[in-house]
């Protein structure tokens, strides 16, 4: 059913980096390689996104942690650094989602990605303007829903992936979604090398999307001491906790995470209010705006108000680590792959390495 069949094209080698693998992802977005650098709050800024785009991957700018003005400036900065296509990650439930969509359209961004399923109206508005819409989902029924609403492709994240995540592993979720929808499916959660790319293509995916692997590059702005924490982590050091914002969240185990796991509900709420207040200041949102976002987030879910309030924690806790380098005060969202990643290549070296590894793997498969 999937449109994800890959075709090795030996006749059109790219500049010095081997034969190309053309898939519905490369066709749809105009990128050279079927690899996506996902939108990660505070991590996927202009420098990482433009380096990923220059390497031939689809770089996606994270915008939930930016004000609309910052988003516009960041899009322009990426554009000034590269002429390759790139995307913007949006929160579909943000109160100002329509304004952000307008910026994406005005600025001629190629791809809109979404952390949560966007509405039918948002998808239609973007598609009418020629923007490729690629929501991220963690369950088959969400993939079916966004496909029915006209999404062009979908990123499917298995439970081993970093940040907010589900409980179904990529190896089970991916074939399930590939069989359920007719649009290209991009596999996320646990990918870091060429073997993984070939495996995803074999499942019928149109490419892979990676967060943690791109966080751990020399083009990433995450402070070196924080990157070292990821490099030192074993697979068992990457845990899922609901204590940060009430939702299953995959991250490195740290002293802070241990303390959160021990702390009671009241302490968590006090902390949540404090962090929500500083995020409000930083993001330029009014309290009314935050309540509106909270209501949108709560809509159709089983979240309690205290969970919604806790969710306001996440951006500040992520910023503390990813920007300020304070791992004692912040969280380090991470996929399980942190346990097998041991170096910090540039985006260009990483993408070349993955593509060369994929070719070797393909050539080595039994005939
Ligand atoms: C530090 C970090 C921050 C993230 N922030 C976001 C985000 O703001 N929006 C989003 O849609 N996904 C976010 N994610 C999830 C990633 O976009 C991606 O789906 C995930 O990392 C894929 O799994 P992997 O880490 O195994 O590659 C984040 C992941 C990490 C590691």
């Amino acid at each position: 059913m999937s449109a994800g069949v890959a075709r090795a094209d030996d006749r059109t080698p790219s500049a010095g980096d081997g034969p190309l693998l053309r898939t519905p992802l490369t066709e749809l977005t105009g990128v050279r390689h079927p690899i996506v650098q996902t939108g990660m709050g505070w991590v996927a800024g202009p420098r990482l996104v433009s380096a990923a785009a220059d390497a031939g991957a689809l770089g996606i700018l994270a915008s939930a942690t930016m004000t609309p003005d910052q988003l516009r400036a960041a899009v322009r900065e990426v554009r000034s650094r590269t002429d390759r296509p790139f995307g913007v990650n949006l929160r579909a439930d943000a109160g100002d989602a329509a304004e952000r969509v307008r910026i994406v359209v005005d600025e001629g961004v190629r791809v809109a990605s979404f952390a949560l399923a966007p509405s039918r109206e948002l998808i239609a508005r973007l598609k009418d303007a020629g923007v490729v819409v690629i929501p991220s989902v963690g369950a088959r029924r969400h993939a079916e829903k966004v496909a029915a609403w006209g999404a062009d492709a979908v990123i499917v994240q298995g439970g081993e992936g970093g940040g907010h995540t589900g409980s179904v592993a990529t190896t089970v979720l991916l074939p399930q979604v590939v069989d359920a929808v007719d649009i290209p499916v991009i596999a996320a959660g646990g990918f870091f090398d060429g073997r993984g790319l070939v495996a995803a293509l074999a499942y019928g995916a149109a490419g892979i999307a990676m967060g943690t692997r791109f966080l751990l590059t020399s083009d990433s702005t995450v402070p070196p001491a924080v990157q070292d924490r990821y490099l030192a982590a074993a697979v068992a050091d990457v845990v899922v906790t609901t204590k940060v914002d009430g939702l299953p969240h995959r991250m490195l185990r740290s002293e802070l995470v241990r303390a959160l796991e021990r702390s009671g509900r009241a302490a968590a709420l006090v902390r949540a209010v404090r962090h929500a207040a500083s995020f409000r200041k930083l993001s330029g949102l009014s309290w009314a705006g935050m309540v509106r976002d909270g209501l949108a987030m709560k809509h159709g879910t089983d979240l309690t108000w205290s969970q919604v309030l806790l969710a306001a924690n996440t951006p500040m806790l992520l910023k503390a680590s990813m920007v300020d380098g304070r791992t004692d005060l912040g969280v380090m969202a991470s996929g399980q792959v942190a346990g097998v990643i041991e170096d910090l290549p540039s985006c260009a070296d990483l993408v070349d390495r993955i593509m060369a590894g994929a070719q070797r793997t393909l050539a080595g498969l039994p005939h």
Side-chain angles (χ1 to χ4, degrees):
M1 288 262 279
S2 162
V5 181
R7 175 163 69 76
D9 185 349
D10 295 292
R11 288 156 306 156
T12 48
S14 60
D17 49 354
L20 295 176
L21 274 176
R22 296 214 172 279
T23 75
L25 170 63
T26 60
E27 306 281 327
L28 190 61
T29 61
V31 291
R32 188 179 285 271
H33 302 301
I35 297 174
V36 177
Q37 165 260 303
T38 61
M40 293 171 277
W42 306 111
V43 177
R47 185 167 116 188
L48 181 63
V49 171
S50 53
D54 276 340
L58 178 69
I60 298 184
L61 197 60
S63 86
T65 47
M66 296 175 183
T67 64
D69 284 346
Q70 287 168 341
L71 168 60
R72 196 182 286 277
V75 166
R76 290 181 179 173
E77 191 181 337
V78 176
R79 172 112 338 109
S80 74
R81 287 165 171 258
T82 182
D83 53 8
R84 301 279 178 92
F86 63 95
V88 168
N89 179 256
L90 302 157
R91 261 187 64 175
D93 59 341
D96 57 3
E99 184 184 355
R100 289 166 188 266
V101 162
R102 202 170 325 117
I103 293 170
V104 166
V105 170
D106 285 354
E107 298 293 327
V109 173
R110 177 73 66 92
V111 173
S113 105
F114 285 92
L116 292 167
S119 66
R120 196 191 289 262
E121 295 69 38
L122 278 187
I123 295 178
R125 195 167 326 146
L126 285 158
K127 287 192 65 169
D128 285 350
V131 182
V132 174
V133 180
I134 310 184
S136 287
V137 299
R140 180 181 60 182
R141 65 195 159 87
H142 295 150
E144 288 170 339
K145 190 170 76 177
V146 296
W149 287 354
D152 295 291
V154 71
I155 294 177
V156 173
Q157 180 176 326
E160 51 273 69
H164 289 125
T165 202
S167 56
V168 183
T170 303
T171 46
V172 174
L173 185 61
L174 178 58
Q176 201 188 19
V177 173
V178 164
D179 286 345
V181 299
D182 283 323
I183 55 175
V185 175
I186 301 153
F191 293 97
F192 66 102
D193 68 359
R195 290 171 300 181
L197 171 56
V198 172
L201 297 176
Y203 274 115
I208 52 171
M210 302 183 295
T212 306
R213 182 61 275 198
F214 277 102
L215 183 155
L216 294 172
T217 60
S218 57
D219 296 304
S220 157
T221 52
V222 172
V226 179
Q227 287 183 319
D228 286 346
R229 295 284 299 266
Y230 282 82
L231 294 177
V235 174
D237 296 326
V238 187
V239 295
V240 174
T241 179
T242 55
K243 287 291 186 150
V244 171
D245 58 12
L247 301 168
H249 206 152
R250 192 177 281 289
M251 60 186 61
L252 296 191
R253 197 203 312 269
S254 64
E255 271 313 302
L256 177 74
V257 172
R258 282 199 191 89
L260 287 175
E261 290 280 337
R262 284 193 306 264
S263 71
R265 210 177 156 76
L269 274 177
V270 169
R271 205 186 44 249
V273 173
R274 217 176 44 233
H275 281 123
S278 38
F279 181 62
R280 188 188 71 80
K281 243 197 248 151
L282 208 78
S283 64
L285 278 175
S286 63
W287 280 109
M290 282 188 69
V291 170
R292 207 171 43 233
D293 284 1
L295 273 170
M297 183 171 172
K298 197 168 169 344
H299 180 72
T301 70
D302 298 329
L303 295 179
T304 62
W305 269 109
S306 63
Q307 283 175 314
V308 169
L309 187 57
L310 281 170
N313 252 334
T314 312
M316 292 317 294
L317 287 173
L318 202 55
K319 176 176 178 286
S321 291
M322 300 299 137
V323 180
D324 306 329
R326 295 294 303 268
T327 54
D328 53 334
L329 300 177
V331 297
M332 292 170 278
S334 174
Q336 286 183 321
V337 281
V340 295
I341 294 173
E342 290 174 345
D343 59 359
L344 298 170
S346 66
C347 286
D349 286 347
L350 174 64
V351 170
D352 281 356
R353 191 201 289 179
I354 291 174
M355 295 314 297
Q359 294 297 344
R360 263 198 319 278
T361 304
L362 280 170
L365 289 175
H367 299 291

